[in-house]
Amino acid sequence: MHNHGRGASVYAFRNWMMENIGIAPETKKIHNAPYKIVFSTASSSQQNRNMTFEKHAQLLEEKLGSKYNIVVIEVVLSQMSLEDQIELVSGGSIFITVCGGGALTAMFLPKGAALFVYFNQGNKYGTPARLDWDLLNNMGYIRSHWLPTRPGEHDFDAFVKLVDHELDVISHTNDV
C-alpha cells in the first residue's frame, strides 16, 4: 500500500493537472442536481474487461430516475480528448468503469464523488485482477467500490441499491 495516507497529495496533483489544461478545479461540485452518473464503456481491447454497462444504465434510469434527478452518460473515453474526459468526469457524481487504464480517469472526480470499479475475478495466476486498487482506494476524497465483472441478477440488484445509497449520501452533502 504505497499510497496509504496520500489522498491529499493525490487531490493536489489532480488540481494541478486540471489547472495546467485550463479547467478550474474549484468550480467542480457534485452536490447539486442533476447528478451525473458516468459509465466508461468498452474501455478495453481485452474481451474479459470490455463491458458495455447497458443493463446497468437502464436499471438506474428505471429504478432511480424518479427518485433522483440523474443524468446517465455512457461514453467511450478512448474516443474523447483528454480535456473532454477530464471535464466530464470532474463534474460527475458517480463514475463507473472497469479496472485498467481508463479507471485512472477517476482521479479527476470531485470531492465526495463515488467510484465503481469492476474487476475480473481471476487472472492467469488465479487471483483477482485489481491493478489499480492501491491508488483508487487511497484517494481519500472519493468513495471506491469494487465489483465483479460477471454479475448475476442478484448483483444487479445490489448495484442499484449501492448507487441509491451513494446518491443519498451525495444529495445530503453540502459543498464547502
Side-chain angles (χ1 to χ4, degrees):
M1 295 206 337
H2 296 84
N3 290 304
H4 182 73
R6 294 191 182 163
S9 298
V10 174
Y11 191 71
F13 182 62
R14 164 213 186 258
N15 291 342
W16 178 83
M17 288 191 296
M18 289 178 69
E19 289 168 356
N20 278 287
I21 63 166
I23 299 173
E26 66 277 357
T27 64
K28 299 300 182 178
K29 305 292 184 184
I30 64 165
H31 308 301
N32 296 319
Y35 304 105
K36 272 196 248 176
I37 300 173
V38 179
F39 286 91
S40 171
T41 65
S43 64
S44 179
S45 59
Q46 296 178 9
Q47 189 59 37
N48 62 347
R49 288 188 0 207
N50 196 13
M51 293 181 67
T52 62
F53 296 112
E54 291 166 349
K55 184 167 183 175
H56 297 78
Q58 177 186 6
L59 285 170
L60 292 184
E61 289 175 344
E62 286 175 8
K63 299 191 181 261
L64 300 179
S66 61
K67 184 174 182 180
Y68 301 99
N69 182 0
I70 60 173
V71 175
V72 176
I73 303 167
E74 298 176 70
V75 297
V76 178
L77 291 176
S78 64
Q79 296 176 355
M80 299 172 67
S81 70
L82 179 62
E83 291 84 0
D84 289 344
Q85 290 180 38
I86 293 171
E87 186 70 43
L88 176 65
V89 172
S90 66
S93 299
I94 298 175
F95 182 56
I96 301 162
T97 188
V98 175
C99 185
L104 293 181
T105 308
M107 176 182 287
F108 297 102
L109 284 166
K111 281 185 181 179
L115 168 65
F116 290 65
V117 183
Y118 280 82
F119 68 95
N120 288 330
Q121 288 93 322
N123 57 24
K124 65 183 177 182
Y125 306 107
T127 59
R130 291 177 271 182
L131 304 173
D132 310 320
W133 187 92
D134 182 45
L135 176 64
L136 299 177
N137 274 12
N138 288 297
M139 290 192 301
Y141 56 95
I142 65 170
R143 289 176 305 284
S144 299
H145 305 281
W146 293 80
L147 303 163
T149 55
R150 293 184 194 97
E153 286 305 313
H154 64 283
D155 294 317
F156 285 115
D157 185 51
F159 168 76
V160 171
K161 287 178 180 174
L162 188 54
V163 171
D164 185 16
H165 167 74
E166 285 297 338
L167 287 168
D168 185 54
V169 170
I170 290 167
S171 66
H172 289 94
T173 304
N174 294 319
D175 288 313
V176 284

